[in-house]
Amino acid sequence: MTDAIFGPLRGNPDVEFAVLNTIETWLPTMLRVLERRHDLPAGLLREPAGGHCYVGGIDHETWQEDLCPMVIVVVNPTGDPETNGSEYGQWFEVEVSTTHIEDTEAEARVMAGHAGTAVMAAIVQHGSLGGLATRTKMTSAPSVSFIDPDKRRLARSLTTFHVFVDGLADDSAGTSTPTAPDSPQYPGNPDDPFGDWPTVVNPSVTLVAEPPQ
């Protein structure tokens, strides 16, 4: 038996990886374009230092000061699943944040604003996310806010997308057995009927107490 019998199996981690990969691939290019468009010095719009600065999360609070600028992607399904025959598809809400620590409030605000624009362009222009997504649409253009009102040199951009993924699971796939064939208690052919349940025996146990040493 091969894994192909179980059909497509996709979920949040697949969407998260595809979004992170798309942003990491295209964000540097988009930042260079913005520098030229705004007559800014080359390299002024700093990009994340490496793959460890592009992460997924449950929320956007896992940023680390020494990794900024940092990209965090949060993925969750939104709305009801859709069916196409026996296969399920699903819209996912994708939030992408960039977090920036700069010397001044103005610098943090501007850097976050440009980074949000670069994220927007990276996703809407490459909405297939490497072939995973059937449809991608931006539902909220980049917004900029201060993470902590008392720390004005710390700013975040946030952009939201909806991504549709076909083939999450297929209800006609899998084996014909009602129980997982890989169960350690079932070494037989997965398409054979199950045998009788084993007989459970309650053994008699005698406990002998000994005085403490």
Side-chain angles (χ1 to χ4, degrees):
M1 182 178 65
T2 66
D3 286 343
I5 196 173
F6 294 101
L9 295 171
R10 300 188 180 96
N12 284 32
D14 301 281
V15 180
E16 177 185 296
F17 174 82
V19 172
L20 285 168
N21 187 60
T22 300
I23 295 173
E24 186 174 358
T25 299
W26 288 103
L27 184 63
T29 297
M30 298 305 179
L31 291 174
R32 302 294 80 79
V33 171
L34 288 170
E35 288 170 346
R36 293 190 291 271
R37 290 279 182 90
H38 294 275
D39 294 322
L40 300 173
L44 178 68
L45 301 180
R46 293 184 298 122
E47 61 200 63
H52 57 289
C53 298
Y54 296 84
V55 300
I58 296 295
D59 56 30
H60 299 278
E61 303 308 318
T62 54
W63 61 275
Q64 300 178 47
E65 183 171 348
D66 59 331
L67 296 182
C68 291
M70 188 173 182
V71 172
I72 299 177
V73 171
V74 176
V75 176
N76 280 300
T78 182
D80 295 330
E82 300 180 14
T83 56
N84 180 12
S86 60
E87 285 194 359
Y88 284 85
Q90 177 70 54
W91 282 102
F92 290 86
E93 182 176 73
V94 177
E95 295 180 337
V96 182
S97 68
T98 68
T99 303
H100 305 260
I101 300 176
E102 305 297 338
D103 292 333
T104 67
E105 173 182 331
E107 289 177 359
R109 176 176 54 81
V110 171
M111 293 295 181
H114 283 312
T117 301
V119 165
M120 173 184 67
I123 297 299
V124 300
Q125 293 180 10
H126 304 89
S128 70
L129 304 177
L132 176 73
T134 305
R135 288 165 279 171
T136 295
K137 60 182 180 181
M138 183 170 63
T139 58
S140 179
S143 62
V144 176
S145 62
F146 292 112
I147 298 175
D148 184 343
D150 295 328
K151 298 179 180 179
R152 310 290 286 186
R153 65 187 191 92
L154 175 60
R156 170 185 293 156
S157 73
L158 183 65
T159 313
T160 306
F161 308 88
H162 280 183
V163 173
F164 189 82
V165 178
D166 281 313
L168 267 64
D170 189 332
D171 63 20
S172 68
T175 69
S176 60
T177 58
T179 303
D182 292 329
S183 168
Q185 303 303 321
Y186 181 67
N189 187 318
D191 291 319
D192 286 343
F194 288 95
D196 296 331
W197 288 102
T199 301
V200 178
V201 177
N202 293 321
S204 176
V205 177
T206 301
L207 299 179
V208 178
E210 295 183 0
Q213 301 296 325

